[in-house]
Amino acid sequence: MTDAVRTVFEGQARHAWSIDQLHEVVCGALGAADYSSVFRAVTVMEREGAIRRIDLGDGKAYYEVGEDHHEHVRCDSCGRVAEVPGCVLDDATSGVQKSTGYVVTSHQLVFGGLCPRCAKRRSR
Amino acid sequence: MTDAVRTVFEGQARHAWSIDQLHEVVCGALGAADYSSVFRAVTVMEREGAIRRIDLGDGKAYYEVGEDHHEHVRCDSCGRVAEVPGCVLDDATSGVQKSTGYVVTSHQLVFGGLCPRCAKRRSR
DNA sequence: ATAAATGCAAACGCTTTGCGAGTGC
DNA sequence: GCACTCGCAAAGCGTTTGCATTTAT
């Protein structure tokens, strides 16, 4: 099962996968599969460091292949997620630290908007 | 009930309130109250625009008085939330738009780290 | 008497876990 | 036989809703 999930991630069909989405694809590939099995595979892979869990603000857990750090844009219309190359915030961190007194060790940022396709469809 | 909740927000004891936290305070103030009543009050107030719902990434819904836009820092240790004055990202938006092609209309950003108190306790 | 507010209990969406059955070594 | 994987069912957790009762007007 872990292999099946790994294959899905390698397929790159999406940038960020919810367990549901993974489950659906895995079912297609294997004929059948249980949600909990996908969940467990994902849990293992996360512990291994192969994938990283991200929060896109819609209450579901998403996973992406754990490479370099980057931010995300999510289309409010179709849900498609893209990666924002480079980190917008490394500089900001020290400013936050200065203004709030918190020792800042992480940040979680999601942009919202419309992906090119949906933006085009809207403007018609 | 709505008044009781409103009072809690006016008290400014916290920056961001979960429904649980509001519920607890309201119970103290009124003697008893149902979680769902607090939930409903919060829902109404959000629709009114008096408060805004925010997502701090821990799976719970938080609410803050809906003033100007700003970001948040959350202490990984005690959960205390502070406001990051000013918007770190207005400039970044156009860059994101350029690099991803998405029309960016919003962003949701939470810094994580340690609040001054917890940072001090840790270093002992 | 009528309409609004509240409490109670249950539904819901998604995640997580316990356990038994199946599979391979 | 033993360890491991998987499916099934159910438990959790927080949010949300339906309904009946209380409260206020």
Side-chain angles (χ1 to χ4, degrees), chain A residues 6-43:
Chain A
R6 234 177 276 277
T7 307
V8 177
F9 275 104
E10 282 161 8
Q12 301 272 7
R14 286 174 189 274
H15 180 79
W17 296 86
S18 71
I19 302 184
D20 256 332
Q21 293 167 342
L22 289 168
H23 180 224
E24 192 173 343
V25 176
V26 169
C27 279
L30 302 185
D34 195 73
Y35 182 97
S36 66
S37 301
V38 179
F39 168 79
R40 278 189 264 247
V42 146
T43 304

Side-chain angles (χ1 to χ4, degrees), chain A:
Chain A
M1 169 59 65
T2 315
D3 292 336
V5 174
R6 234 177 276 277
T7 307
V8 177
F9 275 104
E10 282 161 8
Q12 301 272 7
R14 286 174 189 274
H15 180 79
W17 296 86
S18 71
I19 302 184
D20 256 332
Q21 293 167 342
L22 289 168
H23 180 224
E24 192 173 343
V25 176
V26 169
C27 279
L30 302 185
D34 195 73
Y35 182 97
S36 66
S37 301
V38 179
F39 168 79
R40 278 189 264 247
V42 146
T43 304
V44 170
M45 291 174 64
E46 189 192 6
R47 185 154 307 140
E48 282 174 356
I51 56 177
R52 179 182 21 231
R53 179 178 185 155
I54 58 180
D55 174 9
L56 297 177
D58 68 347
K60 295 180 196 167
Y62 288 83
Y63 297 85
E64 65 178 0
V65 306
E67 301 152 340
D68 53 313
H69 173 79
H70 56 255
E71 318 301 344
H72 300 95
V73 214
R74 177 168 203 267
C75 178
D76 294 331
S77 176
C78 70
R80 187 171 303 275
V81 176
E83 167 178 343
V84 178
C87 179
V88 200
L89 286 168
D90 281 340
D91 308 330
T93 304
S94 67
V96 174
Q97 212 145 317
K98 211 163 290 175
S99 62
T100 65
Y102 278 55
V103 179
V104 178
T105 55
S106 70
H107 60 257
Q108 200 262 321
L109 169 61
V110 183
F111 291 95
L114 291 172
C115 72
R117 188 181 312 177
C118 288
K120 187 172 290 179
R121 182 166 351 122
R122 287 276 169 105
S123 61
R124 281 199 242 120

Side-chain angles (χ1 to χ4, degrees), chain B residues 32-63:
Chain B
D34 195 74
Y35 182 97
S36 65
S37 301
V38 179
F39 168 79
R40 278 190 264 247
V42 146
T43 303
V44 169
M45 290 174 65
E46 189 191 7
R47 186 155 307 141
E48 282 174 355
I51 56 177
R52 178 181 24 230
R53 180 177 183 154
I54 58 180
D55 173 9
L56 297 177
D58 68 346
K60 295 180 197 167
Y62 288 82
Y63 296 86

Side-chain angles (χ1 to χ4, degrees), chain B residues 1-10 26 29-30 41 45 48:
Chain B
M1 168 60 64
T2 316
D3 292 336
V5 174
R6 233 176 277 276
T7 307
V8 177
F9 276 104
E10 283 161 8
V26 169
L30 302 184
M45 290 174 65
E48 282 174 355

Side-chain angles (χ1 to χ4, degrees), chain B residues 30-107:
Chain B
L30 302 184
D34 195 74
Y35 182 97
S36 65
S37 301
V38 179
F39 168 79
R40 278 190 264 247
V42 146
T43 303
V44 169
M45 290 174 65
E46 189 191 7
R47 186 155 307 141
E48 282 174 355
I51 56 177
R52 178 181 24 230
R53 180 177 183 154
I54 58 180
D55 173 9
L56 297 177
D58 68 346
K60 295 180 197 167
Y62 288 82
Y63 296 86
E64 65 178 2
V65 306
E67 299 151 340
D68 53 311
H69 173 78
H70 57 256
E71 318 300 346
H72 300 96
V73 212
R74 177 169 203 267
C75 178
D76 294 331
S77 174
C78 71
R80 185 169 302 276
V81 176
E83 167 179 345
V84 179
C87 180
V88 200
L89 286 169
D90 280 339
D91 308 330
T93 304
S94 66
V96 174
Q97 211 147 317
K98 211 162 291 175
S99 61
T100 65
Y102 278 54
V103 179
V104 178
T105 55
S106 70
H107 60 255

